[in-house]
Amino acid sequence: MARKLTPEEQPWCLDRVTKQVLINKGLENVCMDKSTICFIDGFHSKLYYRGYSIEDLARNSTYEEVVYLILHDKLPTKRELSDFSGWMREERDIPGQVVELLRKIPKDIEPMEILRTAVSYLGNLDPGRYDMSRDGMYRKTIRLISKMPSIVAYWHRIKNGLDLVEPDPRLSHAENFLYMLHGKRQEELLNRAMDVSMILYAEHEMNASAFTAVVIASTLSDYYSAIVGAIGALRGPLHGYANVEAMRQFDEIGSPENVDSWYRENILTGKKRVMGAGHRVYKSYDPRAKIFREYAKIFAEKYGGKVKNYYDIAYRLETLVMAQLCEPKNICTNCDFWAGICYYAMGIPIDLYCAVFAAARTVGWSAHIIEYTADNRILRPRLYYDGEVDKEFVPIDRR
Ligand code: CMC
């Protein structure tokens, strides 16, 4: 006779104290391991990489230095940083086969899917692809971090029928990315803002994409599969693609005067969510959003026009969110709300924003893969079984 299981038959789903079924939907607040990579204090707007505050890093550091910090758990000396940056610069080239592949992909494919395909193919070409040793993964990490911006820039130029621009080893990681994208060097303010954006996006604890990477790595699959999975997770609009969706939302609103009516029609009625607002961990203002917002303001004042229009729409929408969603539901605007306006000021097309995020985040994913697999245990949660068991199997001709 078909029957449902009692909770007592699934004791792993019971709260030890109350003996009630305990489901952490969305794995909220589930602590799955120890880590020394990143700490988020979501109640006090604080974020630390390896113990250093994001404000200090954004103000005083560079992306290369932050990559070194995240991977080595220490700030580099001048000499170490120079050697490390030199290594990153040498690894920027992409194999010709990958460029050929990019040329063959239909031009309407999303940049995140391009990145997923290109990283997967890079893995095919790597003779050490199955090397899951710490040193092997470290080397692959440096190679991939260095190549990701080149893939994004090449895709942009191929898609738009432009000549490819070779990486320039004299330029920093951020500066070189903008150079390869636009075919000419950019002004210092834009280069610095790109560098800071990459610092802000470099790492963020056990979010959906890092978790995906670690789940894959925990099966002792390979490094590239883990990164490809992470790219797939980041591509969702609830995660990294929110920086694209936030800009599309500003486009839909059109002008600052429309914000209030748009908000009434879409948010107050529950038809839509504000893209670039809310966070599983931050119950206070996202400290990265504050830094992106400062740059967005500088760009709005400096460049005016469409950048200022985006800024003014975002400013009014944020005011409504902070007044109406922050207090009752702890929903504040997040980094993805403001990041796109900065990228827009840098002349980057909107559909590329999540791919830029992914290029920067590869260091965080890699650090978690390396840390977790150093003391590996396969990740394998349970589900509470809410169906029936012991159903009678009826042969197909009697159904
Ligand atoms: N706009 C309006 N209401 C919201 C929003 C939002 N952006 N986010 C959450 N809520 C409401 C939601 O409707 C729910 O209300 P109620 O309790 O009345 O049903 C409540 O807040 C809790 O929402 P939830 O979906 O249970 O929260 P979550 O922790 O599962 O989701 C989130 C977090 C980031 C997916 C969500 O806030 C969201 O969808 N935000 C919009 C997309 C976005 O900006 N994502 C980027 C996140 S930050 C960077 C990154 O990770 O990439």
Side-chain angles (χ1 to χ4, degrees), residues 190-206:
L190 297 176
N191 290 329
R192 178 62 190 149
M194 174 53 75
D195 191 64
V196 170
S197 86
M198 289 182 150
I199 293 174
L200 299 179
Y201 270 146
E203 156 60 8
H204 212 229
E205 209 228 30
M206 202 39 53

Side-chain angles (χ1 to χ4, degrees), residues 234 237-240 242 267 272-280 283 288 325 329 331 334-336 357:
L234 191 74
L238 299 187
H239 193 8
I267 306 305
K272 290 185 180 171
R273 288 181 169 207
V274 179
M275 296 314 289
H279 200 278
R280 178 60 66 74
K283 301 303 166 200
R288 303 164 302 170
L325 294 176
K329 290 189 178 179
I331 296 167
N334 60 49
C335 61
D336 293 330
F357 180 166

Side-chain angles (χ1 to χ4, degrees), residues 317-370:
L317 185 54
E318 180 175 82
T319 306
L320 294 177
V321 170
M322 297 308 284
Q324 300 185 22
L325 294 176
C326 182
E327 185 57 39
K329 290 189 178 179
N330 292 324
I331 296 167
C332 307
T333 38
N334 60 49
C335 61
D336 293 330
F337 189 82
W338 290 105
I341 301 177
C342 302
Y343 290 146
Y344 190 84
M346 295 175 204
I348 306 176
I350 291 172
D351 67 340
L352 287 184
Y353 298 173
C354 188
V356 179
F357 180 166
R361 180 57 61 83
T362 304
V363 61
W365 294 332
S366 303
H368 284 290
I369 295 169
I370 292 170

Side-chain angles (χ1 to χ4, degrees), residues 14-41:
L14 299 184
D15 182 274
R16 285 202 189 122
V17 180
T18 65
K19 304 290 178 209
Q20 301 294 308
V21 175
L22 179 66
I23 294 171
N24 288 298
K25 181 84 177 172
L27 297 180
E28 181 164 6
N29 289 332
V30 171
C31 183
M32 60 170 246
D33 200 3
K34 288 189 213 162
S35 174
T36 60
I37 300 172
C38 175
F39 176 64
I40 307 168
D41 178 349

Side-chain angles (χ1 to χ4, degrees), residues 368-388:
H368 284 290
I369 295 169
I370 292 170
E371 183 184 66
Y372 190 84
T373 53
D375 182 21
N376 192 58
R377 189 159 191 227
I378 191 166
L379 280 158
R380 201 330 182 166
R382 294 293 316 254
L383 292 170
Y384 180 75
Y385 183 62
D386 207 19
E388 291 181 326

